[in-house]
Amino acid sequence: MTAEENNYRHILLATDFGNHAESIGTRATAMAKQHGARLSLIHVVDYVPTDLPGDLIELPQLKIEDHLVESARERLEEFASLINADYTNLWIEIGSTRHEILRIAEEEDVDLIVLGSHGRSGLALLLGSTANGVLHGAPCDVLAVRVTESSTQDP
Ligand code: AMP
């Protein structure tokens, strides 16, 4: 096998915009450059209808989803420019985070998923539930970038 055949061709970066997102993202952009790979970004909106800001509560379900997807898209675009991502696609999905990351990875022929070892909900020293779920269901390699509390930056 040549060195080129060992290169990743399509990397999917999953971000929750949490405290560690920038350092995880810059790892993904560096890897994409090193490998000459395409880079796609995904954010999953995991919204709970009972947990909405006051100004959205009155809107019909579909409008709420449109609004959440639109604001997540703007946030993901800003995030992509923050980490200097030369991206192919931005994916904003609604649903189960693990399920949506795995579905896009499969459908888009991704060969490496990059995420944090934990995000906003993970416990120090343990793999968070998203990282764990993705690792166990992935159709491809997974890079769980280790984040530690000392690398925490407040937004
Ligand atoms: P967690 O397991 O929830 O602690 O998160 C681990 C990693 O999964 C985070 O650092 C992100 O890379 C990714 N992740 C968590 N939540 C989301 C989300 N809603 N959308 C995309 N990626 C996510």
Side-chain angles (χ1 to χ4, degrees), residues 14-16 24 42-44 97 101 115-116 118-119 121-122 128-131:
T15 184
D16 59 2
I24 298 162
I42 182 168
H43 174 74
V44 182
T97 304
I101 293 171
L115 38 57
H118 62 267
S121 56
S129 61
T130 307

Side-chain angles (χ1 to χ4, degrees), residues 93-135:
E93 304 299 324
I94 293 192
S96 141
T97 304
R98 166 189 175 276
H99 181 267
E100 293 306 307
I101 293 171
L102 292 176
R103 183 176 65 78
I104 295 295
E106 199 147 346
E107 287 177 10
E108 298 301 314
D109 216 7
V110 163
D111 51 10
L112 178 70
I113 300 169
V114 177
L115 38 57
S117 59
H118 62 267
R120 288 179 294 192
S121 56
L123 296 171
L125 306 177
L126 293 178
L127 269 191
S129 61
T130 307
N132 209 2
V134 168
L135 197 58

